[in-house]
Amino acid sequence: MTWSTREIADLAGTTVKTVRYYHQVGLLDEPDREPNGYKRYEVHHLTRLLQIKRLTGLGVPLAQVAEMGTSGEGQASVFRTVDAELEATIRRLESIRRELATLAQPGASPEVPTSFSGLVQDLRDNDRALLTIYAQLFSDESMEVLRLTLEAHPNDDLDEAFRDLPEDADDATRQALAEQLASFIDPGATAHGVALEPRATTPGQAEAARRAAGHALRALYNPAQVDVLRRAHLLHEADDDNPATRAGITVSAQPSSDDRGDGEKPQSAR
């Protein structure tokens, strides 16, 4: 008994187009033809077609199906590779599910990284924007330190004073706020402070991340606020030679070493 292209495609649960493609890429042998030119498929064609369907259904790429051959170890190697890829996909999907579950909780918001959802009500729009950018630029460990800092609410009044600082604040106001920020450090925490480390594999990428963070600070906060951060950093560095820290979302910053003045660079959190 033999089958036409349409019949064998139906038997295998695939399409005529797929069968023809398998011929083109060499996965399925061309069958003999009847005198009228029609292809006539036999049992071994159906067997091979079902094998291809099974392997691709398991996630084996067509290119590897063609290269597998009959070697037991060669096949096992392909299956191990596919299994590792599936495991990575499962981990990614599980992470997505956890994130979706968090976002489904009351008060959660997609406006900030998922781990910061519980803090979203206390943040202003520019704070949320900066968190989103930081999560892209800095390591998970750094972001966790930042989250713990925000959860601690070390000094709400100081935090609000910084957030409400007007753009035209005079020099005395800026200096007074900078002095408060510079001295507002928990000695027990700074001893184990973790720097905001960029997600970077090269020094150039790390520098680009710091520049982007500095640019974001300057774009999201007014010049008086950025100036206060600069002053606070210099005051604290001169006092204790420790990483500068401050209350609220704009955890810390230091002036850029670049002569072009790209802005403040996030340095550390406690």
Side-chain angles (χ1 to χ4, degrees):
M1 181 178 183
T2 59
W3 300 280
S4 68
T5 305
R6 170 64 64 186
E7 288 171 335
I8 199 171
D10 289 342
L11 285 170
T14 186
T15 66
V16 170
K17 183 178 180 180
T18 298
V19 173
R20 289 172 176 165
Y21 179 72
Y22 290 164
H23 287 319
Q24 292 174 12
V25 298
L27 284 175
L28 185 65
D29 292 339
E30 290 275 358
D32 294 332
R33 293 177 180 268
E34 296 287 351
N36 59 10
Y38 288 108
K39 295 176 181 177
R40 305 308 298 176
Y41 292 87
E42 300 184 28
V43 170
H44 72 274
H45 293 108
L46 178 60
T47 302
R48 177 57 174 165
L49 190 56
L50 291 172
Q51 290 173 342
I52 297 170
K53 181 181 177 182
R54 182 186 183 194
L55 290 171
T56 56
L58 290 172
V60 179
L62 285 178
Q64 289 183 288
V65 171
E67 297 171 0
M68 284 180 66
T70 58
S71 168
E73 180 56 34
Q75 292 181 357
S77 176
V78 170
F79 295 142
R80 284 193 293 268
T81 298
V82 173
D83 183 64
E85 292 172 350
L86 288 174
E87 184 178 6
T89 299
I90 290 170
R91 287 197 300 268
R92 180 179 63 82
L93 293 175
E94 287 176 341
S95 176
I96 291 173
R97 291 194 66 195
R98 289 193 296 271
E99 186 167 349
L100 290 172
T102 300
L103 290 174
Q105 296 299 314
S109 171
E111 296 178 356
V112 296
T114 306
S115 61
F116 291 80
S117 290
L119 303 169
V120 71
Q121 298 300 325
D122 299 326
L123 303 176
R124 299 183 184 180
D125 288 345
N126 55 349
D127 298 334
R128 298 176 189 184
L130 190 66
L131 271 180
T132 298
I133 294 170
Y134 271 21
Q136 175 65 24
L137 298 177
F138 298 110
S139 69
D140 292 339
E141 182 183 24
S142 296
M143 295 306 296
E144 177 63 11
V145 171
L146 180 54
R147 183 185 66 80
L148 293 174
T149 300
L150 292 178
E151 282 186 341
H153 290 299
N155 189 321
D156 289 341
D157 291 338
L158 184 57
D159 192 39
E160 288 304 308
F162 175 82
R163 289 174 172 177
D164 292 335
L165 185 69
E167 185 172 353
D168 60 354
D170 59 36
D171 187 80
T173 300
R174 297 185 189 194
Q175 186 64 22
L177 184 55
E179 290 173 0
Q180 293 180 69
L181 290 173
S183 62
F184 198 79
I185 297 174
D186 180 352
T190 55
H192 304 284
V194 178
L196 288 178
E197 295 294 339
R199 295 179 185 273
T201 57
T202 67
Q205 291 174 345
E207 180 61 21
R210 293 189 179 97
R211 289 183 183 278
H215 181 70
L217 277 172
R218 295 183 64 182
L220 294 169
Y221 297 90
N222 69 48
Q225 291 170 317
V226 174
D227 182 44
V228 166
L229 293 180
R230 180 187 62 80
R231 296 184 189 210
H233 171 77
L234 294 175
L235 286 168
H236 179 67
E237 192 175 57
D239 183 31
D240 293 319
D241 195 29
N242 287 328
T245 58
R246 67 180 182 77
I249 176 64
T250 46
V251 175
S252 69
Q254 67 177 13
S256 171
S257 59
D258 193 319
D259 290 337
R260 292 177 298 177
D262 282 337
E264 314 303 313
K265 294 180 182 179
Q267 182 68 18
S268 63
R270 62 176 182 80

